[in-house]
Amino acid sequence: MQANVPFGAPALSTAIEGSGTAAIDVALVPSGKMATTVTSATAQDLSGSCEGATHFVRTALLGAFAMAPGSRGAARTVDQVFAAVGPAAASSQGGTASREGEAEACRGAKPNAQAPTERCHAPLRLELVPLAAKKAATVEPAAKAAEEELPKLSSPCLTGTVLSGAKCSSPALAPAHLCEPADSRACAAQCGKGDVGSCYHLGIHYLSGKDLPRDDARAADLFEKSCDAGVAQACYARAKQQLRDIQSGKVSPDGSGRAKVREFADKACELGDGWACFSAAEWYLSEGPQAVLPKDPTRAVAFLRRGCDLGYGPSCSALGKMLVEGKLAAKDVAVAVAVLQRACEGGETEDCVDLGDILRKGQGAPKDGVKAIAAYQRGCSLGDMRACNAAGSVYGEGDGVPRDVAKAYSFFEKGCPEKGFGAEACMSLAGMYERGTGIPKDMVRAAALYEKACGSGGCLRAAEIWQRGDGVTADPARAFSLYEKACTQWGEKKACDAFGPLLERKDKERARSFYADQCTRTQDKAACASLKRLGGGTK
């Protein structure tokens, strides 16, 4: 009961006890789902009254349901169960008979609907994700991996039960059930009994040729069988297989061959798999010898939009960039803000920074310092040092929010950790120590932080501090070394201009070689003049 009764149904324990009910018929008519792009969270990410929370809701399957007392061995259709309950029981929600929504309303739902269908938005099933004990290490999004590996289907059922069709059941009572993806024998057995998810897994085994002899034709048949039964991932797998066969020359790149790629790709996305929508969108943007489908940015945007709506973060990220750039889609920054918000929530840190920048500057969307800070904070919490620096700058400047030097310092410090690197935040933090902005002035600490951000102008500033003895004991040798590093490793002209005269005092021959290199390589007039002054020349 816990595994199969709709989430919106009433508690049944009291109603069942002593009622003599031999069976309960449950009819479900799903019409769509709502999803967040957030894939993981910790207790620290929660807000509101969340004391004692152990999970968060990742997706909610919506639709209509009806429950009615039944008889063992006497199966009823979905419509018969709805009719047995009747509209009157829909409002009472009592006992073992209840109903919410209308089956017919659900059947009229559209795949591209932007909101739940009226009279078809009862919660049927929730996907719960355990709260993590701590933040996972930041990793690059596995968007590209989607093109290389086909995803495995997972069972939403409680431990000890298996997914049989749309129901969780005891293995002993299930006529067929979803197999463990890695077990080719079990997948063959369950596919033979009629489980289409297992047929999809079996197709992957035949396609890979790892546990079973490779058989592309058999894999194609299994993918098509599963796709026809509504397995979105199987539709994508068949589309991908056809695409590769055309690229390798196994299948003719004629209109019918390409049409099959489109047919299965479209169906995979329409069936509600955000990953498939995102992966197939790239096919409509490809150019060059390996491109199979005609370039169609409009189709690609539609796929990305659906993938985003279905909660796949990388799809939101790609769509947001297109809407901001206005190259492959009409520029619409106002719409991009909502899309980038979902991408940011889903862990795409670059999009958190882009979103914050748009809201901070008011470029194409209303300026909003509070929302900008929220975006930067999200990126910073995910480990993006640029986001930490941006949040600190907003607080430090009071740009759209009340100025708060303590918060600015905190964000700069997060963006410039002892282990790790965030050049912009280190430069900002060094500036606070140099000026004594809200904290005691500390030039030694400032110089050390500047050195840490060497490639961003930090070595030059640190060298100036040590050369002049600005709040520190002058250290000419250290200054010389830092000027040299900033010049030779990072090509900073101001550092080169300062390094040359210091080098002349130490070693005129070496200085001549330095000026010759600068004059030849960078065409720097001052270096050429210094070379001539030292008796050198250029070819």
Side-chain angles (χ1 to χ4, degrees):
M1 282 297 180
Q2 285 181 323
N4 294 291
V5 169
F7 177 78
L12 295 175
S13 57
T14 304
I16 292 173
E17 285 181 19
S19 68
T21 300
I24 294 178
D25 290 336
V26 179
L28 305 178
V29 187
S31 66
K33 69 178 180 181
M34 300 183 75
T36 174
T37 52
V38 178
T39 56
S40 66
T42 67
Q44 289 70 41
D45 296 321
L46 306 181
S47 61
S49 303
C50 299
E51 184 127 4
T54 58
H55 295 68
F56 73 93
V57 180
R58 170 90 172 87
T59 62
L61 183 67
L62 306 181
F65 72 85
M67 276 193 330
S71 303
R72 281 189 182 277
R76 289 189 286 190
T77 66
V78 167
D79 288 331
Q80 287 172 337
V81 177
F82 270 83
V85 179
S91 59
S92 66
Q93 294 288 299
T96 55
S98 65
R99 179 174 123 183
E100 187 170 350
E102 301 288 344
E104 282 306 313
C106 294
R107 289 171 184 143
K110 304 297 182 185
N112 60 349
Q114 295 297 303
T117 303
E118 188 178 353
R119 295 181 292 116
C120 183
H121 49 76
L124 304 182
R125 179 174 290 158
L126 303 182
E127 177 194 352
L128 300 178
V129 178
L131 292 175
K134 60 180 181 179
K135 286 283 183 188
T138 302
V139 296
E140 288 297 315
K144 280 293 176 185
E147 284 290 289
E148 305 301 327
E149 185 177 351
L150 297 175
K152 311 301 188 293
L153 305 180
S154 59
S155 171
C157 298
L158 301 172
T159 303
T161 62
V162 292
L163 184 64
S164 179
K167 183 177 70 172
C168 296
S169 178
S170 165
L173 300 177
H177 62 83
L178 183 66
C179 67
E180 283 294 325
D183 191 337
S184 59
R185 289 187 178 182
C187 291
Q190 295 305 321
C191 177
K193 293 178 181 179
D195 184 80
V196 290
S198 297
C199 292
Y200 165 64
H201 287 154
L202 184 61
I204 295 176
H205 283 287
Y206 277 116
L207 190 65
S208 68
K210 292 179 181 178
D211 298 325
L212 296 172
R214 177 156 182 164
D215 189 334
D216 287 11
R218 178 70 175 136
D221 288 341
L222 289 165
F223 289 150
E224 290 190 21
K225 176 182 178 180
S226 301
C227 176
D228 290 342
V231 180
Q233 294 84 348
C235 300
Y236 173 80
R238 184 66 187 97
K240 183 65 177 176
Q241 184 187 27
Q242 179 78 359
L243 185 86
R244 286 176 173 168
D245 286 347
I246 291 175
Q247 291 172 333
S248 65
K250 290 177 64 177
V251 173
S252 173
D254 56 18
S256 62
R258 290 194 299 270
K260 186 167 283 192
V261 176
R262 282 195 300 269
E263 173 193 347
F264 287 110
D266 289 2
K267 189 169 183 179
C269 188
E270 184 177 302
L271 284 171
D273 187 87
W275 173 87
C277 297
F278 169 80
S279 301
E282 188 172 330
W283 304 345
Y284 287 102
L285 296 174
S286 296
E287 296 180 288
Q290 289 297 298
V292 171
L293 300 177
K295 187 174 180 180
D296 189 344
T298 302
R299 193 76 177 135
V301 168
F303 270 52
L304 292 174
R305 192 179 300 279
R306 180 152 172 76
C308 180
D309 288 342
L310 290 165
Y312 191 64
S315 197
C316 300
S317 179
L319 177 60
K321 286 179 175 62
M322 291 173 71
L323 293 172
V324 170
E325 293 171 356
K327 294 179 181 178
L328 296 173
K331 186 171 183 176
D332 194 332
V333 180
V335 173
V337 165
V339 174
L340 292 174
Q341 176 69 45
R342 298 206 73 197
C344 176
E345 290 170 353
E348 306 291 325
T349 60
E350 185 176 330
D351 295 306
C352 295
V353 176
D354 291 344
L355 175 62
D357 289 346
I358 291 171
L359 295 170
R360 181 183 181 182
K361 299 169 186 175
Q363 296 179 335
K367 185 172 181 177
D368 192 323
V370 175
K371 288 184 178 179
I373 277 288
Y376 290 141
Q377 283 180 322
R378 173 68 175 162
C380 182
S381 71
L382 292 168
D384 192 301
M385 306 305 179
R386 297 169 308 146
C388 298
N389 180 67
S393 297
V394 171
Y395 277 120
E397 298 168 14
D399 188 4
V401 296
R403 188 166 184 262
D404 192 323
V405 176
K407 285 184 178 179
Y409 178 87
S410 175
F411 277 109
F412 290 148
E413 195 174 41
K414 285 179 184 177
C416 183
E418 290 299 322
K419 294 183 179 180
F421 184 64
E424 295 173 340
C426 290
M427 290 290 287
S428 298
L429 191 60
M432 289 189 77
Y433 277 110
E434 182 178 5
R435 294 185 295 272
T437 308
I439 55 176
K441 187 171 181 177
D442 187 336
M443 294 302 290
V444 173
R445 177 68 174 145
L449 287 166
Y450 280 132
E451 286 185 41
K452 190 171 181 178
C454 188
S456 299
C459 275
L460 171 63
R461 184 69 193 105
E464 292 170 342
I465 291 171
W466 290 114
Q467 183 182 29
R468 293 199 304 258
D470 188 0
V472 298
T473 302
D475 190 334
R478 192 167 184 176
F480 179 88
S481 176
L482 289 169
Y483 279 130
E484 182 178 23
K485 187 175 182 179
C487 173
T488 59
Q489 290 188 24
W490 299 102
E492 294 184 23
K493 187 179 185 309
K494 286 185 67 176
C496 294
D497 291 344
F499 176 64
L502 294 177
L503 186 59
E504 279 189 51
R505 296 173 200 161
K506 280 177 162 285
D507 188 333
K508 278 191 168 50
E509 187 59 38
R510 189 180 161 203
R512 189 179 296 113
S513 297
F514 168 75
Y515 287 137
D517 175 69
Q518 289 292 106
C519 179
T520 303
R521 187 166 49 82
T522 68
Q523 303 297 309
D524 183 72
K525 292 182 179 179
C528 295
S530 296
L531 176 63
K532 186 176 181 179
R533 177 170 48 79
L534 292 180
T538 58
K539 294 182 181 179

